[in-house]
Amino acid sequence: MKNKTIFITGASSGIGEACARKFASEGNILILNGRNRILLESLKHELETSYSTSIHLAIFDVRDHEAATQAINSLPAPFQNIDVLINNAGLALGVDKEYEGNMDDYTTMIDTNITALLHMTRLIVPGMIERNCGHIINIGSIAGEKAYPGGSVYCATKAAVKALSDGLRMDLYHTPIRVTLLKPGLVETRFSIVRYYGNEQKAAHVYRHIQPLTGKDIAESAYFAADAPAHVQISEMEILATHQASAQMVWREGENP
């Protein structure tokens, strides 16, 4: 696919950044969302220098509905017809028991992973319906399939992403608009650093003795779904590291019996 307009939330690092690199390298134009202006401006300069692409930066916190609405309503003309929305922005905070966790962390996860995704969908999908084309790619997680200790709220948010994706697909089944849910397993990005409040040692421990997925792996999956023929809808894709069988079942060389 070429010359499509791709909107990516949470594009300043991790899976979002990798998606930006992949879709730009294939000749598409991008709208990159995030909060870190410096990182996004650097990425924009690099991609526009390296590839035949044009990039617009939409710098706002996805939890800020007023800012999101203003950003979408004020898009420059060349970027207004969004072909692919990648709802990538998301996070986990903490590994506390559900009855001991920080309520502010719970609110942040719910607002970012669920409410913001729903709001971005509400802002962008009506335009897709008017143009009778489009594709929504939601970044979920295998955590949305089954809860695990210390992650119940995060798991609940990703279960909601699964439900929202399935429901949206049903709402759109009379149109050519496609909905894809990607469910990654262990992906080594800043995810665990954020989860452990910047503790890099604890974050590194999550990926010990296994070759985890990378943001690039998930970006390739997103592009594969987006590049499928118009009559093909990749409704759901679960992507795991080779030595991972579930959220908790991971073969770690030298550790397992």
Side-chain angles (χ1 to χ4, degrees):
M1 58 180 293
K2 293 181 182 297
N3 301 316
K4 301 293 185 181
T5 301
I6 319 297
F7 192 114
I8 305 170
T9 66
S12 60
S13 65
I15 293 172
E17 178 187 350
C19 285
R21 294 182 182 280
K22 176 61 180 179
F23 281 86
S25 72
E26 298 292 342
N28 299 286
I29 69 172
L30 309 177
I31 305 166
L32 302 183
N33 158 259
R35 294 176 295 171
N36 193 316
R37 179 179 294 274
I38 293 175
L39 289 178
L40 287 176
E41 287 181 344
S42 175
L43 181 60
K44 170 182 164 71
H45 175 74
E46 178 188 345
L47 296 181
E48 288 185 335
T49 301
S50 302
Y51 305 113
S52 177
T53 185
S54 180
I55 297 175
H56 174 74
L57 300 183
I59 300 174
F60 62 87
D61 187 329
V62 289
R63 296 174 297 168
D64 186 336
H65 298 170
E66 183 177 343
T69 301
Q70 182 177 354
I72 299 303
N73 290 341
S74 60
L75 286 172
F79 297 91
Q80 289 177 359
N81 294 336
I82 297 167
D83 297 295
V84 180
L85 167 63
I86 302 180
N87 277 314
N88 163 73
L91 79 168
L93 291 169
V95 290
D96 296 315
K97 291 180 172 60
E98 187 174 320
Y99 59 86
E100 295 177 339
N102 184 304
M103 283 304 302
D104 288 340
D105 287 349
Y106 292 170
T107 299
T108 298
M109 284 188 279
I110 292 168
D111 287 349
T112 306
N113 299 355
I114 303 175
T115 310
L117 177 147
L118 186 57
H119 194 236
M120 295 305 299
T121 300
R122 180 65 182 85
L123 285 172
I124 292 173
V125 171
M128 293 180 174
I129 294 173
E130 287 180 10
R131 297 186 299 276
N132 206 36
C133 65
H135 193 166
I136 302 94
I137 300 176
N138 290 333
I139 307 299
S141 170
I142 60 169
E145 294 296 323
K146 187 175 182 180
Y148 54 79
S152 61
V153 176
Y154 172 71
C155 293
T157 66
K158 289 304 184 180
V161 173
K162 157 75 171 168
L164 290 172
S165 301
D166 289 345
L168 181 61
R169 194 178 304 109
M170 294 173 190
D171 289 340
L172 292 170
Y173 86 114
H174 63 293
T175 78
I177 300 168
R178 303 180 292 184
V179 180
T180 296
L181 173 66
L182 300 183
K183 301 188 298 181
L186 279 174
V187 185
E188 189 169 12
T189 61
R190 288 187 53 80
F191 176 87
S192 290
I193 294 175
V194 172
R195 181 171 217 164
Y196 287 105
Y197 309 106
N199 189 319
E200 295 187 6
Q201 184 175 359
K202 285 185 177 180
H205 191 68
V206 174
Y207 310 107
R208 71 193 184 280
H209 300 157
I210 184 176
Q211 183 175 345
L213 301 168
T214 66
K216 182 179 178 181
D217 295 322
I218 309 308
E220 293 286 347
S221 298
Y223 186 81
F224 174 79
D227 194 43
H231 71 285
V232 176
Q233 179 171 215
I234 309 296
S235 62
E236 193 168 300
M237 192 185 307
E238 186 168 292
I239 311 106
L240 301 176
T242 299
H243 290 297
Q244 180 177 23
S246 70
Q248 289 188 286
M249 194 171 182
V250 179
W251 177 267
R252 301 184 190 274
E253 190 66 33
E255 293 188 24
N256 299 78

